[in-house]
Amino acid sequence: MTAGHAASLPGDLAAVLDTAWQLLEAAAGDLKAPLRTPVVIGLADNGPDGRVMVLRECRVASSQLIFHTDLRSPKAKNLQRDPRVAIVGYDATRALQLRLHGRAHFQTDEAAVDAAWRATSPTARRNYATHLPPGARLESASDGQPESIDDAAARRSFARMVVDITHIDWLELAAAGHRRAQFVAAADGWTGSWCVP
Ligand SMILES: Cc1cc2nc3c(=O)[nH]c(=O)nc-3n(C[C@H](O)[C@H](O)[C@H](O)COP(=O)(O)O)c2cc1C
């Protein structure tokens, strides 16, 4: 599946799709970009459950978004059971909402995960070093981190979550008239259409 191959789309729809991917790619490298911290939604036992996550990487050629997370977390367990995921971001400077759908998997390629771990800051690594898993009950308020960090154990909890994006919904608000477009990934590229905002 290739996001770049939108040859079947009319020019302006193709440009919208390209812009969506460019914004996501730029956001992954820009600490201040609003689309860098979308809400990622999966299905938990009691229904939909969303949380903010940092977009770490956007692979335009393969239509993939990559996040880092703790394999022990409820979201990781739920997404391994049901990989369907919705991702919602809003860029207020552009009055642009992006709603994406896809399927998540947790990368098992040790070399890629090791490289991501090595590139992670010591502060961020500490998040994976808690003895108890994310969401575990505590007697009192605490960050849950031990006094000394077991780096190898923390590494085992660290995962790259790769989302294969299959649908994109673009909504741009404007005084002159809102515009909304939807795109669906197929084996030979993306198809798109305008729709009522
Ligand atoms: C700005 C911000 C960025 C966050 N980034 C991440 C992240 O990249 N990965 C992650 O697993 N959790 C991240 N979190 C924490 C999640 O929102 C969530 O609280 C945590 O992962 C537990 O989620 P779960 O109980 O659904 O598994 C972030 C929270 C905020 C507020």
Side-chain angles (χ1 to χ4, degrees), residues 127-183:
N127 294 327
Y128 299 89
T130 57
H131 287 161
L132 295 170
R137 288 280 172 92
L138 294 170
E139 293 299 322
S140 59
S142 158
D143 62 10
Q145 289 174 0
E147 278 176 18
S148 70
I149 302 291
D150 179 346
D151 201 62
R155 161 65 187 84
R156 285 194 294 276
S157 297
F158 173 78
R160 267 161 68 89
M161 182 177 105
V162 180
V163 182
D164 294 312
I165 300 298
T166 55
H167 295 77
I168 298 176
D169 184 308
W170 164 289
L171 172 66
E172 197 172 13
L173 304 179
H178 307 330
R179 292 284 181 273
R180 182 173 174 200
Q182 291 180 332
F183 302 92

Short mmCIF file of all heavy atoms in Angstrom, two decimals, residues 127-183:
data_model
loop_
_atom_site.label_atom_id
_atom_site.label_comp_id
_atom_site.label_asym_id
_atom_site.label_seq_id
_atom_site.Cartn_x
_atom_site.Cartn_y
_atom_site.Cartn_z
N ASN A 127 10.13 6.12 32.10
CA ASN A 127 8.71 5.79 32.08
C ASN A 127 8.45 4.29 31.95
O ASN A 127 7.38 3.80 32.30
CB ASN A 127 8.01 6.51 30.91
CG ASN A 127 8.03 8.01 31.09
OD1 ASN A 127 7.98 8.50 32.21
ND2 ASN A 127 8.12 8.74 29.99
N TYR A 128 9.44 3.58 31.41
CA TYR A 128 9.27 2.14 31.18
C TYR A 128 9.84 1.31 32.33
O TYR A 128 9.81 0.09 32.27
CB TYR A 128 9.94 1.76 29.85
CG TYR A 128 9.32 2.49 28.68
CD1 TYR A 128 9.79 3.74 28.28
CD2 TYR A 128 8.21 1.96 28.03
CE1 TYR A 128 9.20 4.43 27.24
CE2 TYR A 128 7.61 2.64 26.99
CZ TYR A 128 8.10 3.88 26.60
OH TYR A 128 7.49 4.56 25.58
N ALA A 129 10.38 2.01 33.34
CA ALA A 129 11.11 1.31 34.40
C ALA A 129 10.27 1.04 35.64
O ALA A 129 10.78 0.48 36.62
CB ALA A 129 12.34 2.14 34.79
N THR A 130 9.01 1.41 35.62
CA THR A 130 8.19 1.17 36.81
C THR A 130 8.08 -0.34 37.07
O THR A 130 7.99 -1.13 36.12
CB THR A 130 6.77 1.75 36.61
OG1 THR A 130 6.20 1.16 35.44
CG2 THR A 130 6.81 3.26 36.46
N HIS A 131 8.08 -0.73 38.36
CA HIS A 131 7.93 -2.15 38.67
C HIS A 131 6.53 -2.63 38.33
O HIS A 131 6.33 -3.73 37.83
CB HIS A 131 8.24 -2.42 40.14
CG HIS A 131 9.70 -2.32 40.44
ND1 HIS A 131 10.19 -2.14 41.70
CD2 HIS A 131 10.78 -2.38 39.62
CE1 HIS A 131 11.53 -2.09 41.64
NE2 HIS A 131 11.88 -2.23 40.39
N LEU A 132 5.56 -1.76 38.63
CA LEU A 132 4.17 -2.11 38.33
C LEU A 132 3.80 -1.60 36.94
O LEU A 132 4.35 -0.60 36.47
CB LEU A 132 3.24 -1.49 39.38
CG LEU A 132 3.42 -2.01 40.81
CD1 LEU A 132 2.62 -1.15 41.80
CD2 LEU A 132 3.00 -3.47 40.90
N PRO A 133 2.87 -2.27 36.29
CA PRO A 133 2.48 -1.82 34.94
C PRO A 133 1.68 -0.53 34.98
O PRO A 133 1.06 -0.20 36.00
CB PRO A 133 1.62 -2.98 34.42
CG PRO A 133 1.15 -3.69 35.63
CD PRO A 133 2.19 -3.50 36.69
N PRO A 134 1.65 0.22 33.88
CA PRO A 134 0.82 1.43 33.82
C PRO A 134 -0.63 1.09 34.17
O PRO A 134 -1.18 0.09 33.70
CB PRO A 134 0.93 1.85 32.35
CG PRO A 134 2.22 1.27 31.87
CD PRO A 134 2.38 -0.02 32.62
N GLY A 135 -1.21 1.92 35.03
CA GLY A 135 -2.61 1.71 35.43
C GLY A 135 -2.76 0.94 36.74
O GLY A 135 -3.87 0.88 37.29
N ALA A 136 -1.65 0.35 37.26
CA ALA A 136 -1.74 -0.41 38.52
C ALA A 136 -2.05 0.55 39.67
O ALA A 136 -1.57 1.69 39.69
CB ALA A 136 -0.43 -1.15 38.78
N ARG A 137 -2.85 0.09 40.64
CA ARG A 137 -3.22 0.91 41.80
C ARG A 137 -2.02 1.19 42.70
O ARG A 137 -1.18 0.32 42.90
CB ARG A 137 -4.27 0.18 42.65
CG ARG A 137 -5.65 0.12 42.01
CD ARG A 137 -6.38 1.45 42.23
NE ARG A 137 -7.61 1.47 41.47
CZ ARG A 137 -8.79 1.07 41.95
NH1 ARG A 137 -8.86 0.61 43.18
NH2 ARG A 137 -9.88 1.12 41.21
N LEU A 138 -1.97 2.43 43.26
CA LEU A 138 -0.92 2.81 44.22
C LEU A 138 -1.57 3.26 45.52
O LEU A 138 -2.69 3.75 45.51
CB LEU A 138 -0.08 3.97 43.65
CG LEU A 138 0.76 3.68 42.40
CD1 LEU A 138 1.33 4.99 41.83
CD2 LEU A 138 1.89 2.71 42.72
N GLU A 139 -0.84 3.10 46.62
CA GLU A 139 -1.36 3.52 47.93
C GLU A 139 -1.42 5.03 48.04
O GLU A 139 -2.25 5.59 48.74
CB GLU A 139 -0.47 2.97 49.06
CG GLU A 139 -0.52 1.45 49.21
CD GLU A 139 -1.94 0.98 49.53
OE1 GLU A 139 -2.63 1.67 50.29
OE2 GLU A 139 -2.33 -0.07 48.98
N SER A 140 -0.48 5.72 47.36
CA SER A 140 -0.46 7.19 47.39
C SER A 140 0.11 7.69 46.07
O SER A 140 0.65 6.91 45.28
CB SER A 140 0.41 7.67 48.56
OG SER A 140 1.72 7.17 48.39
N ALA A 141 -0.01 9.03 45.87
CA ALA A 141 0.44 9.59 44.60
C ALA A 141 1.95 9.39 44.42
O ALA A 141 2.72 9.70 45.33
CB ALA A 141 0.11 11.08 44.54
N SER A 142 2.35 8.89 43.28
CA SER A 142 3.77 8.63 43.01
C SER A 142 3.94 8.41 41.52
O SER A 142 2.98 8.04 40.83
CB SER A 142 4.20 7.37 43.78
OG SER A 142 5.36 6.80 43.20
N ASP A 143 5.18 8.62 41.04
CA ASP A 143 5.42 8.30 39.63
C ASP A 143 5.69 6.81 39.43
O ASP A 143 5.88 6.35 38.30
CB ASP A 143 6.55 9.16 39.05
CG ASP A 143 7.89 8.93 39.75
OD1 ASP A 143 8.00 7.99 40.55
OD2 ASP A 143 8.82 9.71 39.48
N GLY A 144 5.73 6.08 40.55
CA GLY A 144 5.84 4.63 40.46
C GLY A 144 7.23 4.13 40.11
O GLY A 144 7.45 2.92 39.95
N GLN A 145 8.19 5.04 40.01
CA GLN A 145 9.51 4.61 39.54
C GLN A 145 10.41 4.19 40.70
O GLN A 145 10.36 4.79 41.77
CB GLN A 145 10.16 5.74 38.75
CG GLN A 145 9.46 5.93 37.42
CD GLN A 145 9.96 7.13 36.66
OE1 GLN A 145 10.85 7.84 37.11
NE2 GLN A 145 9.37 7.35 35.50
N PRO A 146 11.22 3.15 40.48
CA PRO A 146 12.12 2.68 41.54
C PRO A 146 13.30 3.64 41.70
O PRO A 146 13.54 4.48 40.83
CB PRO A 146 12.60 1.33 41.01
CG PRO A 146 12.50 1.47 39.52
CD PRO A 146 11.36 2.40 39.24
N GLU A 147 14.02 3.48 42.81
CA GLU A 147 15.17 4.37 43.03
C GLU A 147 16.26 4.11 42.01
O GLU A 147 16.87 5.04 41.50
CB GLU A 147 15.70 4.19 44.46
CG GLU A 147 14.86 4.99 45.43
CD GLU A 147 15.28 4.79 46.87
OE1 GLU A 147 16.41 4.30 47.10
OE2 GLU A 147 14.45 5.11 47.73
N SER A 148 16.51 2.85 41.71
CA SER A 148 17.51 2.58 40.67
C SER A 148 16.81 1.90 39.49
O SER A 148 15.95 1.03 39.66
CB SER A 148 18.64 1.73 41.21
OG SER A 148 18.17 0.44 41.45
N ILE A 149 17.21 2.33 38.31
CA ILE A 149 16.55 1.89 37.09
C ILE A 149 17.21 0.63 36.55
O ILE A 149 18.44 0.57 36.42
CB ILE A 149 16.64 3.01 36.01
CG1 ILE A 149 16.01 4.30 36.53
CG2 ILE A 149 16.02 2.56 34.70
CD1 ILE A 149 14.54 4.27 36.70
N ASP A 150 16.40 -0.37 36.28
CA ASP A 150 16.88 -1.58 35.61
C ASP A 150 16.65 -1.37 34.11
O ASP A 150 15.55 -1.57 33.60
CB ASP A 150 16.09 -2.79 36.14
CG ASP A 150 16.53 -4.09 35.45
OD1 ASP A 150 17.22 -4.00 34.41
OD2 ASP A 150 16.18 -5.16 35.96
N ASP A 151 17.72 -0.96 33.43
CA ASP A 151 17.59 -0.56 32.03
C ASP A 151 17.11 -1.73 31.15
O ASP A 151 16.30 -1.54 30.25
CB ASP A 151 18.94 -0.03 31.53
CG ASP A 151 18.76 0.85 30.29
OD1 ASP A 151 18.09 1.89 30.40
OD2 ASP A 151 19.26 0.47 29.22
N ALA A 152 17.61 -2.93 31.45
CA ALA A 152 17.23 -4.09 30.62
C ALA A 152 15.75 -4.40 30.78
O ALA A 152 15.06 -4.72 29.80
CB ALA A 152 18.09 -5.29 31.00
N ALA A 153 15.26 -4.30 32.02
CA ALA A 153 13.83 -4.57 32.25
C ALA A 153 12.98 -3.50 31.58
O ALA A 153 11.94 -3.79 30.97
CB ALA A 153 13.54 -4.61 33.76
N ALA A 154 13.44 -2.24 31.67
CA ALA A 154 12.70 -1.15 31.03
C ALA A 154 12.63 -1.38 29.52
O ALA A 154 11.59 -1.21 28.89
CB ALA A 154 13.36 0.18 31.35
N ARG A 155 13.74 -1.81 28.95
CA ARG A 155 13.78 -2.07 27.51
C ARG A 155 12.77 -3.15 27.12
O ARG A 155 12.13 -3.07 26.06
CB ARG A 155 15.21 -2.48 27.11
CG ARG A 155 15.37 -3.20 25.80
CD ARG A 155 15.01 -2.36 24.59
NE ARG A 155 15.02 -3.16 23.37
CZ ARG A 155 14.03 -3.91 22.95
NH1 ARG A 155 12.89 -3.96 23.61
NH2 ARG A 155 14.13 -4.61 21.83
N ARG A 156 12.59 -4.15 27.97
CA ARG A 156 11.65 -5.22 27.63
C ARG A 156 10.21 -4.72 27.61
O ARG A 156 9.35 -5.31 26.96
CB ARG A 156 11.80 -6.39 28.63
CG ARG A 156 13.03 -7.22 28.38
CD ARG A 156 12.98 -8.55 29.14
NE ARG A 156 13.02 -8.37 30.59
CZ ARG A 156 14.15 -8.22 31.29
NH1 ARG A 156 15.32 -8.20 30.67
NH2 ARG A 156 14.11 -8.08 32.60
N SER A 157 9.94 -3.64 28.33
CA SER A 157 8.57 -3.10 28.35
C SER A 157 8.32 -2.12 27.21
O SER A 157 7.19 -1.71 26.98
CB SER A 157 8.31 -2.37 29.68
OG SER A 157 8.41 -3.28 30.73
N PHE A 158 9.38 -1.73 26.54
CA PHE A 158 9.29 -0.70 25.51
C PHE A 158 8.86 -1.31 24.18
O PHE A 158 9.38 -2.34 23.76
CB PHE A 158 10.66 -0.04 25.37
CG PHE A 158 10.80 0.93 24.24
CD1 PHE A 158 10.28 2.22 24.34
CD2 PHE A 158 11.45 0.57 23.07
CE1 PHE A 158 10.43 3.12 23.29
CE2 PHE A 158 11.60 1.46 22.02
CZ PHE A 158 11.09 2.74 22.13
N ALA A 159 7.92 -0.64 23.51
CA ALA A 159 7.47 -1.16 22.21
C ALA A 159 7.25 -0.03 21.22
O ALA A 159 6.91 1.09 21.60
CB ALA A 159 6.17 -1.94 22.39
N ARG A 160 7.46 -0.36 19.98
CA ARG A 160 7.06 0.53 18.89
C ARG A 160 5.72 0.01 18.37
O ARG A 160 5.60 -1.15 17.97
CB ARG A 160 8.10 0.48 17.77
CG ARG A 160 9.16 1.53 17.88
CD ARG A 160 10.37 1.17 17.07
NE ARG A 160 10.13 1.19 15.64
CZ ARG A 160 10.29 2.28 14.88
NH1 ARG A 160 10.63 3.42 15.41
NH2 ARG A 160 10.10 2.22 13.59
N MET A 161 4.74 0.88 18.41
CA MET A 161 3.41 0.52 17.91
C MET A 161 3.27 1.11 16.50
O MET A 161 3.36 2.31 16.32
CB MET A 161 2.36 1.10 18.85
CG MET A 161 0.95 0.75 18.47
SD MET A 161 -0.18 1.43 19.71
CE MET A 161 -0.84 2.80 18.80
N VAL A 162 3.10 0.23 15.56
CA VAL A 162 3.01 0.64 14.15
C VAL A 162 1.55 0.56 13.72
O VAL A 162 0.91 -0.49 13.90
CB VAL A 162 3.87 -0.29 13.26
CG1 VAL A 162 3.80 0.14 11.80
CG2 VAL A 162 5.31 -0.32 13.76
N VAL A 163 1.03 1.65 13.19
CA VAL A 163 -0.37 1.66 12.74
C VAL A 163 -0.38 1.77 11.22
O VAL A 163 0.13 2.74 10.64
CB VAL A 163 -1.17 2.81 13.37
CG1 VAL A 163 -2.62 2.75 12.90
CG2 VAL A 163 -1.09 2.76 14.89
N ASP A 164 -0.96 0.76 10.58
CA ASP A 164 -1.18 0.79 9.13
C ASP A 164 -2.47 1.57 8.88
O ASP A 164 -3.56 1.10 9.22
CB ASP A 164 -1.31 -0.63 8.57
CG ASP A 164 -0.02 -1.41 8.72
OD1 ASP A 164 1.04 -0.87 8.34
OD2 ASP A 164 -0.05 -2.54 9.22
N ILE A 165 -2.33 2.75 8.28
CA ILE A 165 -3.49 3.62 8.10
C ILE A 165 -4.29 3.17 6.87
O ILE A 165 -3.74 2.99 5.78
CB ILE A 165 -3.05 5.10 7.93
CG1 ILE A 165 -2.28 5.55 9.18
CG2 ILE A 165 -4.26 6.00 7.68
CD1 ILE A 165 -3.06 5.55 10.48
N THR A 166 -5.59 3.02 7.07
CA THR A 166 -6.46 2.54 5.99
C THR A 166 -7.50 3.58 5.56
O THR A 166 -8.06 3.47 4.47
CB THR A 166 -7.20 1.27 6.42
OG1 THR A 166 -7.90 1.54 7.65
CG2 THR A 166 -6.23 0.11 6.64
N HIS A 167 -7.81 4.54 6.44
CA HIS A 167 -8.81 5.57 6.13
C HIS A 167 -8.33 6.92 6.66
O HIS A 167 -7.76 6.97 7.76
CB HIS A 167 -10.17 5.26 6.79
CG HIS A 167 -10.82 4.03 6.27
ND1 HIS A 167 -10.42 2.78 6.64
CD2 HIS A 167 -11.85 3.86 5.41
CE1 HIS A 167 -11.17 1.88 6.03
NE2 HIS A 167 -12.05 2.51 5.27
N ILE A 168 -8.61 7.96 5.90
CA ILE A 168 -8.30 9.32 6.36
C ILE A 168 -9.53 10.19 6.11
O ILE A 168 -10.11 10.15 5.02
CB ILE A 168 -7.10 9.92 5.59
CG1 ILE A 168 -5.84 9.08 5.84
CG2 ILE A 168 -6.87 11.38 5.99
CD1 ILE A 168 -4.62 9.53 5.03
N ASP A 169 -9.92 10.94 7.12
CA ASP A 169 -11.02 11.91 6.99
C ASP A 169 -10.45 13.29 7.28
O ASP A 169 -9.92 13.54 8.36
CB ASP A 169 -12.13 11.54 7.98
CG ASP A 169 -13.37 12.44 7.85
OD1 ASP A 169 -13.22 13.68 7.87
OD2 ASP A 169 -14.47 11.89 7.73
N TRP A 170 -10.51 14.16 6.30
CA TRP A 170 -9.94 15.52 6.37
C TRP A 170 -11.08 16.51 6.50
O TRP A 170 -11.98 16.52 5.67
CB TRP A 170 -9.15 15.77 5.09
CG TRP A 170 -8.79 17.17 4.77
CD1 TRP A 170 -9.64 18.17 4.35
CD2 TRP A 170 -7.49 17.76 4.80
NE1 TRP A 170 -8.94 19.32 4.13
CE2 TRP A 170 -7.62 19.10 4.39
CE3 TRP A 170 -6.23 17.27 5.13
CZ2 TRP A 170 -6.53 19.96 4.31
CZ3 TRP A 170 -5.14 18.12 5.04
CH2 TRP A 170 -5.30 19.45 4.63
N LEU A 171 -11.09 17.32 7.55
CA LEU A 171 -12.12 18.35 7.70
C LEU A 171 -11.42 19.68 7.98
O LEU A 171 -10.73 19.84 8.99
CB LEU A 171 -13.06 18.02 8.86
CG LEU A 171 -14.05 19.13 9.24
CD1 LEU A 171 -15.05 19.39 8.11
CD2 LEU A 171 -14.79 18.78 10.53
N GLU A 172 -11.63 20.64 7.07
CA GLU A 172 -11.01 21.95 7.20
C GLU A 172 -12.13 22.97 7.35
O GLU A 172 -13.01 23.08 6.47
CB GLU A 172 -10.18 22.25 5.95
CG GLU A 172 -9.20 23.35 6.13
CD GLU A 172 -8.25 23.46 4.92
OE1 GLU A 172 -8.55 22.86 3.88
OE2 GLU A 172 -7.24 24.15 5.04
N LEU A 173 -12.11 23.70 8.47
CA LEU A 173 -13.15 24.70 8.72
C LEU A 173 -12.71 26.03 8.13
O LEU A 173 -11.55 26.42 8.26
CB LEU A 173 -13.38 24.86 10.23
CG LEU A 173 -13.73 23.57 10.98
CD1 LEU A 173 -13.91 23.87 12.47
CD2 LEU A 173 -14.97 22.92 10.41
N ALA A 174 -13.64 26.71 7.47
CA ALA A 174 -13.31 28.01 6.88
C ALA A 174 -14.58 28.84 6.78
O ALA A 174 -15.67 28.30 6.55
CB ALA A 174 -12.71 27.82 5.48
N ALA A 175 -14.43 30.17 6.96
CA ALA A 175 -15.59 31.06 6.89
C ALA A 175 -16.25 30.96 5.51
O ALA A 175 -17.47 31.03 5.38
CB ALA A 175 -15.14 32.50 7.17
N ALA A 176 -15.42 30.76 4.50
CA ALA A 176 -15.94 30.69 3.13
C ALA A 176 -16.66 29.37 2.85
O ALA A 176 -17.28 29.21 1.80
CB ALA A 176 -14.79 30.87 2.14
N GLY A 177 -16.59 28.44 3.78
CA GLY A 177 -17.23 27.14 3.58
C GLY A 177 -16.29 26.03 4.01
O GLY A 177 -15.13 26.04 3.63
N HIS A 178 -16.82 25.16 4.84
CA HIS A 178 -15.98 24.04 5.30
C HIS A 178 -15.76 23.06 4.14
O HIS A 178 -16.56 22.99 3.21
CB HIS A 178 -16.67 23.31 6.45
CG HIS A 178 -17.08 24.22 7.58
ND1 HIS A 178 -16.40 25.38 7.89
CD2 HIS A 178 -18.11 24.14 8.46
CE1 HIS A 178 -16.99 25.97 8.92
NE2 HIS A 178 -18.03 25.24 9.27
N ARG A 179 -14.67 22.30 4.23
CA ARG A 179 -14.36 21.30 3.21
C ARG A 179 -14.01 20.00 3.90
O ARG A 179 -13.26 19.99 4.87
CB ARG A 179 -13.17 21.73 2.35
CG ARG A 179 -13.43 22.93 1.47
CD ARG A 179 -14.28 22.56 0.26
NE ARG A 179 -14.52 23.70 -0.60
CZ ARG A 179 -15.55 24.56 -0.45
NH1 ARG A 179 -16.41 24.39 0.53
NH2 ARG A 179 -15.68 25.58 -1.27
N ARG A 180 -14.57 18.92 3.38
CA ARG A 180 -14.27 17.62 3.99
C ARG A 180 -14.03 16.60 2.88
O ARG A 180 -14.75 16.57 1.87
CB ARG A 180 -15.46 17.17 4.85
CG ARG A 180 -15.22 15.86 5.56
CD ARG A 180 -16.36 15.56 6.51
NE ARG A 180 -16.23 14.25 7.11
CZ ARG A 180 -17.22 13.58 7.66
NH1 ARG A 180 -18.44 14.13 7.72
NH2 ARG A 180 -17.03 12.39 8.16
N ALA A 181 -13.02 15.79 3.07
CA ALA A 181 -12.70 14.74 2.10
C ALA A 181 -12.37 13.45 2.85
O ALA A 181 -11.85 13.49 3.97
CB ALA A 181 -11.50 15.16 1.24
N GLN A 182 -12.71 12.34 2.21
CA GLN A 182 -12.42 11.04 2.80
C GLN A 182 -11.58 10.22 1.82
O GLN A 182 -11.83 10.25 0.61
CB GLN A 182 -13.71 10.30 3.14
CG GLN A 182 -14.46 10.95 4.28
CD GLN A 182 -15.75 10.23 4.63
OE1 GLN A 182 -16.36 9.59 3.78
NE2 GLN A 182 -16.15 10.35 5.88
N PHE A 183 -10.65 9.47 2.37
CA PHE A 183 -9.74 8.67 1.55
C PHE A 183 -9.69 7.25 2.12
O PHE A 183 -9.70 7.05 3.34
CB PHE A 183 -8.33 9.26 1.58
CG PHE A 183 -8.29 10.69 1.08
CD1 PHE A 183 -8.41 11.75 1.98
CD2 PHE A 183 -8.16 10.96 -0.27
CE1 PHE A 183 -8.39 13.06 1.53
CE2 PHE A 183 -8.13 12.28 -0.73
CZ PHE A 183 -8.26 13.32 0.17
#
